[in-house]
Amino acid sequence: MDIPKIFNITESAHRIHDPFTPEKLATLGAALRLEPGIHVLDLGSGSGEMLCTWARDYGIIGTGIDMSQLFSDQAKRRAEELSVAGQVEFIHGDAAGYVAAEKVGVAACLGATWIGRGVVGTIELLAKSLRTGGIILIGEPYWLQLPPTEDVAKGCHAGSISDFLMLPELLASFGKLNYDVVEMVLADQNGWDRYEAAKWLTMRRWLEANPDDDFAKEVRAKLTSEPCRYAAYTREYLGWGVFALMAR
Ligand code: SAH
């Protein structure tokens, strides 16, 4: 079981697989006023940076589930490196339908809401693991400005304009589900640059190390086109943030 190989190639050197910088991740942890010992569940936990740094900085207990073998292994190594292996557990597996055996204080899904077939389904899924009064974290893109055409949306790697909302509409959508938005931390263009531009050097290095790999052609094409695509589309049109929700 694994995610498509292209992500394991392009994001192999990322610690954070979203447009947050380490500073934003720490800001989010501080904003949530996490009590030591609180249990955080993270669906699509990637390389485990959120759970590992929050275990170190805020004393949380963490469980992460991720379908990438590579990222799950990196998460375990990161936990050892930060001396928090006793506080965090990383499970390699499909998080779709995953419900924690014991209810948690924070249930998160950052940049992986397809796990619940979209934001609404992911909130429903996370709610099943959440104790009364707990916090749900959703990390999701929104339009900074509405794409003028469907082609521009596709340039942002969205399926269509309707895949994402503008920020006020996204916030309103949580209210319609009967959740209060109790905190939010938004990424900025610098964070997007870190997330996207870091892939370019990783691709270049991978190509040099794997010239005869079946994927070399695809990676070569991506490395050639990505900087301009990113600057013209994603960087101009797409925002990203983490929204903290509590049931009304
Ligand atoms: N939350 C992490 C990772 C976001 S990238 C971060 O912000 O750094 C999306 C992640 O979802 C990747 O790590 C990918 O491996 C994982 N993923 C994709 N489909 C999944 C599934 N069905 N179950 C669990 N993880 C999944």
Side-chain angles (χ1 to χ4, degrees), residues 202-229:
T202 303
M203 286 194 277
R204 175 62 199 244
R205 294 242 163 104
W206 184 90
L207 279 168
E208 281 166 11
N210 302 276
D212 301 321
D213 192 280
D214 288 350
F215 261 72
K217 236 175 125 181
E218 186 177 330
V219 173
R220 174 71 253 171
K222 241 187 180 338
L223 174 57
T224 305
S225 60
E226 271 298 289
C228 298
R229 182 207 64 78

Side-chain angles (χ1 to χ4, degrees), residues 1-3 8 66-70 92-95:
M1 180 200 304
D2 215 323
I3 58 169
N8 282 325
D66 199 279
M67 207 151 89
S68 164
Q69 182 73 61
L70 174 70
H92 173 232
D94 189 348

Side-chain angles (χ1 to χ4, degrees), residues 20 23-34 50 54 58 185:
F20 263 12
E23 293 75 25
K24 292 273 182 187
L25 211 46
T27 298
L28 176 64
L32 297 174
R33 305 170 208 170
L34 301 163
M50 182 176 83
W54 286 6
Y58 308 115
V185 177

Side-chain angles (χ1 to χ4, degrees), residues 3 11 15-18 42 44-46 65-68 71 93-96 110-112 114-115:
I3 58 169
E11 297 191 26
R15 271 198 186 133
I16 301 175
H17 305 263
D18 68 46
D42 190 11
S45 43
I65 297 110
D66 199 279
M67 207 151 89
S68 164
F71 300 167
D94 189 348
L110 272 52
W114 56 84
I115 284 172

Side-chain angles (χ1 to χ4, degrees), residues 142-163:
Y142 57 88
W143 295 121
L144 287 176
Q145 44 169 333
L146 210 58
T149 64
E150 288 293 343
D151 280 348
V152 171
K154 290 201 167 65
C156 299
H157 285 164
S160 78
I161 298 172
S162 64
D163 279 9

Side-chain angles (χ1 to χ4, degrees), residues 29-241:
L32 297 174
R33 305 170 208 170
L34 301 163
E35 301 280 345
I38 192 170
H39 198 153
V40 181
L41 173 70
D42 190 11
L43 303 187
S45 43
S47 298
E49 192 67 4
M50 182 176 83
L51 293 181
C52 290
T53 56
W54 286 6
R56 179 194 62 192
D57 299 339
Y58 308 115
I60 63 113
I61 304 294
T63 304
I65 297 110
D66 199 279
M67 207 151 89
S68 164
Q69 182 73 61
L70 174 70
F71 300 167
S72 302
D73 291 346
Q74 290 180 165
K76 286 175 195 160
R77 281 205 295 279
R78 187 68 173 146
E80 300 280 346
E81 197 175 83
L82 299 186
S83 306
V84 294
Q87 282 163 260
V88 293
E89 178 191 19
F90 291 102
I91 301 165
H92 173 232
D94 189 348
Y98 183 90
V99 178
E102 276 180 47
K103 302 235 182 219
V104 300
V106 177
C109 181
L110 272 52
T113 51
W114 56 84
I115 284 172
R117 295 169 184 271
V119 171
V120 175
T122 299
I123 291 174
E124 279 171 18
L125 174 60
L126 293 171
K128 291 181 187 165
S129 295
L130 198 68
R131 68 163 162 73
T132 308
I135 292 179
I136 287 179
L137 296 179
I138 293 286
E140 184 71 3
Y142 57 88
W143 295 121
L144 287 176
Q145 44 169 333
L146 210 58
T149 64
E150 288 293 343
D151 280 348
V152 171
K154 290 201 167 65
C156 299
H157 285 164
S160 78
I161 298 172
S162 64
D163 279 9
F164 304 124
L165 300 169
M166 299 284 288
L167 183 59
E169 284 74 38
L170 180 58
L171 295 171
S173 77
F174 297 128
K176 284 182 200 138
L177 296 170
N178 225 13
Y179 280 88
D180 285 323
V181 182
V182 297
E183 255 296 357
M184 84 177 175
V185 177
L186 303 180
D188 55 24
Q189 277 184 321
N190 169 55
W192 270 107
D193 293 349
R194 292 300 80 241
Y195 176 51
E196 293 292 337
K199 298 177 192 173
W200 309 339
L201 181 58
T202 303
M203 286 194 277
R204 175 62 199 244
R205 294 242 163 104
W206 184 90
L207 279 168
E208 281 166 11
N210 302 276
D212 301 321
D213 192 280
D214 288 350
F215 261 72
K217 236 175 125 181
E218 186 177 330
V219 173
R220 174 71 253 171
K222 241 187 180 338
L223 174 57
T224 305
S225 60
E226 271 298 289
C228 298
R229 182 207 64 78
Y230 165 64
Y233 298 108
T234 306
R235 195 173 195 276
E236 290 305 309
Y237 288 93
L238 217 52
W240 195 86

